[in-house]
């Protein structure tokens, strides 16, 4: 059994026109195997794909597709966690994203993002109280979500790796959408009319998280997109105080509506 990067390297050599004999000599892979790989790419690709981790290759790559990853990173930072799955000797991790049962569309979008980043693998659903855990199993989730660590996210430093920073800068809208879908909402704000008869209602976006770092990542993305925001500190019934961000200006709400919109 060969590591994925060995196979890819051998196929790249063959594709560049080097003979099977020479590739075999260079790589130590026998010619029958090389012939099989070059004749049936689907087989090779399928085999390659079973445990392919872009971060574990000799030259690490960012996960793809970047737009799906950027969205999934937002969901993960908001409502996701990694935990060991099954037999600990197998070192398989389960990614779980909690999705409220009120929003079946969001559950589908979350499942699609997991399937895009980790293709050809089953996305599971586990019913919990009021929400569904959308799950995917992979040895390499901690490689693509290096923010994983012991303890709660708000009790430790959450900083993006440089390659993640590149992705969220290129796909800021997708990142904001993921964060909003996990810890945000689009609500109607009601202001009493001056004459006391009824209310003015206007939409605004709210985002709240107990991690100062995650809120910082959210506002950095808004700044890149040129969307004005305001910070509030929201006292929770529990001891935690959440940092809340509101986006209320009419033009800013209209801009957010183009790539976030109401939950569905
Ligand atoms: Zn890996």
């Amino acid at each position: 059994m060969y590591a994925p990067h060995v196979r890819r390297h051998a196929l790249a050599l063959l594709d560049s026109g080097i003979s099977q004999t020479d590739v075999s000599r260079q790589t130590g892979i026998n010619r029958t195997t090389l012939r099989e790989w070059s004749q049936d790419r689907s087989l090779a690709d399928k085999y390659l794909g079973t445990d392919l981790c872009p971060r574990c290759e000799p030259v690490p790559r960012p996960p793809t597709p970047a737009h799906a990853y950027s969205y999934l990173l937002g969901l993960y930072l908001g409502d996701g966690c990694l935990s060991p799955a099954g037999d600990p000797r197998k070192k398989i991790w389960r990614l779980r994203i909690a999705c409220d049962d009120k929003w079946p569309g969001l559950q589908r979008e979350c499942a699609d993002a997991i399937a895009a980043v980790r293709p050809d693998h089953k996305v599971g659903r586990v019913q919990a109280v009021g929400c569904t855990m959308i799950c995917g199993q992979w040895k390499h989730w901690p490689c693509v979500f290096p923010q994983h660590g012991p303890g709660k996210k708000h009790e430790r430093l959450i900083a993006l790796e440089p390659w993640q920073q590149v992705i969220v800068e290129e796909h800021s809208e997708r990142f904001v959408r993921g964060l909003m879908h996990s810890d945000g909402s689009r609500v109607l704000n009601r202001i009493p009319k001056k004459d006391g008869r009824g209310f003015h209602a206007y939409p605004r976006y709210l985002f709240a998280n107990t991690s100062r770092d995650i809120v910082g990542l959210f506002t950095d993305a808004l700044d890149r997109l040129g969307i004005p925001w305001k910070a509030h500190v929201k006292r929770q019934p529990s001891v935690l105080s959440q940092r809340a961000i509101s986006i209320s200006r009419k033009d800013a709400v209209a801009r957010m509506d183009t790539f976030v919109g109401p939950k569905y």
Side-chain angles (χ1 to χ4, degrees):
M1 183 153 157
Y2 292 97
H5 69 268
V6 174
R7 289 168 167 258
R8 189 178 299 147
H9 177 62
L11 279 169
L13 290 174
L14 291 171
D15 288 346
S16 73
I18 300 173
S19 73
Q20 283 180 1
T21 311
D22 287 342
V23 174
S24 173
R25 199 175 296 138
Q26 268 189 42
T27 59
I29 300 164
N30 74 51
R31 283 193 300 158
T32 316
T33 306
L34 288 174
R35 198 174 310 119
E36 258 177 44
W37 290 353
S38 63
Q39 280 170 355
D40 189 350
R41 294 304 173 101
S42 63
L43 183 82
D45 286 343
K46 201 170 165 194
Y47 193 78
L48 267 168
T50 53
D51 210 15
L52 201 60
C53 171
R55 303 300 308 153
C56 287
E57 291 181 16
V59 181
R61 290 183 293 120
T64 52
H67 61 91
Y69 177 79
S70 195
Y71 175 70
L72 191 58
L73 178 63
L75 290 179
Y76 166 72
L77 291 176
D79 277 335
C81 69
L82 296 181
S83 54
D87 184 345
R89 282 170 303 182
K90 290 188 178 163
K91 298 195 174 103
I92 292 174
W93 292 86
R94 180 181 292 125
L95 166 69
R96 285 182 301 167
I97 312 250
C99 293
D100 198 304
D101 286 335
K102 277 187 294 199
W103 318 117
L106 262 53
Q107 293 185 1
R108 279 195 300 276
E109 199 172 334
C110 169
D112 288 350
I114 294 176
V117 173
R118 169 94 170 111
D120 303 324
H121 287 77
K122 203 174 142 257
V123 177
R125 285 166 182 262
V126 179
Q127 187 63 50
V129 182
C131 72
T132 299
M133 295 291 182
I134 312 288
C135 315
Q137 303 203 151
W138 194 14
K139 277 185 183 174
H140 297 273
W141 283 124
C143 306
V144 297
F145 293 127
Q147 284 68 33
H148 173 67
K152 300 209 153 74
K153 289 195 195 98
H154 66 268
E155 289 164 355
R156 54 195 162 87
L157 176 78
I158 300 287
L160 298 183
E161 298 265 329
W163 59 266
Q164 290 181 299
Q165 189 65 34
V166 170
I167 292 178
V168 302
E169 285 181 14
E170 275 177 19
H171 299 276
S172 295
E173 291 186 353
R174 300 292 299 166
F175 184 57
V176 167
R177 184 175 170 86
L179 286 167
M180 283 300 304
H181 279 177
S182 55
D183 283 337
S185 54
R186 183 185 187 277
V187 292
L188 276 183
N189 197 26
R190 283 149 51 96
I191 305 285
K193 285 185 179 169
K194 281 198 184 117
D195 60 8
R197 294 182 186 178
F199 295 87
H200 286 295
Y202 64 91
R204 66 171 173 168
Y205 284 88
L206 294 174
F207 175 81
N209 194 289
T210 41
S211 160
R212 181 180 288 261
D213 295 333
I214 292 172
V215 173
L217 293 172
F218 179 69
T219 54
D220 284 351
L222 293 178
D223 289 344
R224 282 196 298 276
L225 295 166
I227 295 172
W229 50 271
K230 260 200 268 183
H232 314 261
V233 174
K234 214 167 96 181
R235 284 273 155 211
Q236 292 297 95
S238 63
V239 286
L240 296 174
S241 73
Q242 283 201 318
R243 298 170 67 77
I245 300 297
S246 68
I247 296 147
S248 313
R249 267 176 47 179
K250 203 175 168 191
D251 52 346
V253 170
R255 175 88 168 84
M256 289 285 281
D257 281 346
T258 64
F259 65 91
V260 182
K263 292 188 175 184
Y264 62 104

